[in-house]
C-alpha cells in the first residue's frame, strides 16, 4: 500500500498531508479524511491506509499547517485524561484560529489536489471527518455539492454547522455520534433539521461510546465503536462513489 507525505499549495502557503492509495495501477475514487483535533499521527495514518485498502485514494491533511507541520503540538504516544488539559491548553487557540473561511479555502485546495492525482478517478469525492474534522467535512461537502457525493462525521459537533449548511448538502451523509456527546432528544432535533433540509442521511448514537471513540491512541477508544464506524462508512462510500464496500 503506497503512502507518502505530500504538500498541497493553498492560498496561505503549503499544507502537509498524508496520502495512501492502492498499488494496482488503477484509478480510484478520492476521499478527503479530516483528522480529529490532535491531527495527523500514527493512528490517523493507520486509518487512512485501512480505508485506502478498500479501493480509495485517501488524503488526510494537516488542517493546522499555518502553525507548522504535523504534529503541530507535541503529543504523547497515548492520550489519556491526565494529558488532555495540557494538550488542549496548546491546541484550543489553534482550533479557534481555523475559521470557516480558512476551512473552505483549504477545502478548495485539497479537492483540487485530489483531482490532479493520476491515481484518482473522475467521479465525485467522499469526505469523512473525526471530532472537529467532522464539522470541517460537513462544511466541505456543503460548499461543493456538485463534487462531494458522500460525507461522514464521527463524534463530531455537526450541529454547529446549522440549517444553512444542511440546506446546501447534496451528499448522502452518515453521522455517528458518541453516546456521551448527544442525548436522544438532541439527536431527534438534529435529525429533524436534516430531514427538513432534505438531506439523505443516517444519524445515530453509537451505544456505550464517549467522545473520540474511533481513536485507538486515546482512552476514549471503543473497538466496537470503531468497527461500527467502518460498517457504516464503507457501504456509504461504496454506494456514493462506486468503490468497494
Amino acid at each position: 500500500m503506497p503512502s507518502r507525505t505530500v504538500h498541497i499549495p493553498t492560498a496561505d502557503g503549503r499544507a502537509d498531508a498524508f496520502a495512501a492509495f492502492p498499488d494496482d495501477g488503477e484509478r480510484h475514487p478520492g476521499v478527503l479524511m479530516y483528522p480529529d483535533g490532535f491531527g495527523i499521527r500514527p493512528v490517523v495514518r493507520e486509518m487512512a491506509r485501512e480505508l485506502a485498502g478498500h479501493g480509495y485514494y485517501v488524503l488526510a491533511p494537516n488542517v493546522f499547517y499555518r502553525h507548522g507541520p504535523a504534529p503541530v503540538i507535541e503529543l504523547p504516544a497515548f492520550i489519556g485524561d491526565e494529558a488532555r488539559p495540557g494538550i488542549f491548553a496548546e491546541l484550543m487557540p489553534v482550533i479557534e484560529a481555523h475559521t470557516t473561511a480558512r476551512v473552505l479555502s483549504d477545502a478548495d485546495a485539497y479537492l483540487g489536489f485530489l483531482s490532479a492525482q493520476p491515481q484518482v478517478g473522475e467521479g465525485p469525492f467522499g469526505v469523512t471527518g473525526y471530532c472537529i474534522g467532522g464539522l470541517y467535512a460537513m462544511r466541505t461537502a456543503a460548499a461543493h455539492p456538485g463534487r462531494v457525493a458522500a460525507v461522514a462525521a464521527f463524534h463530531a459537533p455537526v450541529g454547529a454547522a446549522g440549517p444553512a449548511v444542511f440546506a446546501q448538502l447534496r451528499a448522502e451523509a452518515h453521522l455517528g455520534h458518541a453516546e456521551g456527546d448527544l442525548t436522544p432528544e438532541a439527536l431527534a432535533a438534529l435529525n429533524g433539521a436534516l430531514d427538513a433540509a432534505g438531506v439523505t442521511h443516517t444519524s445515530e448514537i453509537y451505544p456505550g461510546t464517549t467522545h473520540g471513540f474511533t481513536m485507538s491512541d486515546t482512552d476514549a477508544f471503543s473497538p466496537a465503536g470503531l468497527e461500527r464506524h467502518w460498517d457504516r462508512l464503507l457501504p456509504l462510500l461504496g454506494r456514493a462513489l462506486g468503490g468497494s464496500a
Side-chain angles (χ1 to χ4, degrees):
M1 178 69 58
S3 60
R4 62 191 63 159
T5 297
V6 298
H7 294 88
I8 302 167
T10 73
D12 291 332
R14 288 204 316 163
D16 52 307
F18 179 77
F21 49 91
D23 187 19
D24 58 7
E26 302 293 328
R27 302 177 76 188
H28 296 277
V31 177
L32 177 58
M33 174 186 282
Y34 284 109
D36 62 0
F38 298 133
I40 300 172
R41 58 197 192 281
V43 67
V44 172
R45 295 185 185 97
E46 178 183 340
M47 292 174 71
R49 291 189 187 101
E50 172 76 15
L51 182 53
H54 291 273
Y56 301 98
Y57 186 111
V58 181
L59 182 70
N62 170 21
V63 298
F64 304 132
Y65 67 89
R66 293 173 181 84
H67 301 268
V72 171
I73 65 170
E74 185 175 351
L75 294 170
F78 183 80
I79 302 169
D81 281 342
E82 70 286 347
R84 288 177 182 268
I87 291 172
F88 280 107
E90 290 187 76
L91 193 56
M92 286 310 298
V94 175
I95 293 174
E96 290 167 357
H98 199 57
T99 62
T100 298
R102 287 183 170 184
V103 171
L104 297 182
S105 175
D106 291 345
D108 291 345
Y110 302 150
L111 295 181
F113 177 88
L114 281 171
S115 296
Q117 301 314 298
Q119 302 91 351
V120 176
E122 295 181 356
F125 299 115
V127 185
T128 185
Y130 303 87
C131 182
I132 193 66
L135 177 59
Y136 302 159
M138 293 288 281
R139 293 194 186 282
T140 297
H144 296 274
R147 303 177 76 187
V148 176
V151 61
F154 300 92
H155 45 85
V158 294
V165 169
F166 298 161
Q168 298 175 60
L169 280 175
R170 298 296 178 268
E172 182 180 350
H174 173 73
L175 309 177
H177 310 285
E179 188 173 43
D181 284 351
L182 207 64
T183 65
E185 295 76 17
L187 176 67
L190 173 63
N191 291 349
L194 291 165
D195 288 336
V199 179
T200 300
H201 71 279
T202 55
S203 174
E204 59 184 344
I205 292 172
Y206 286 23
T209 59
T210 59
H211 184 77
F213 63 81
T214 59
M215 298 295 159
S216 63
D217 64 348
T218 76
D219 53 8
F221 178 55
S222 165
L226 178 62
E227 181 177 1
R228 188 180 185 121
H229 142 278
W230 290 122
D231 288 346
R232 299 297 190 268
L233 179 60
L234 294 175
L236 168 67
L237 296 177
R239 287 192 303 272
L241 308 185
S244 303

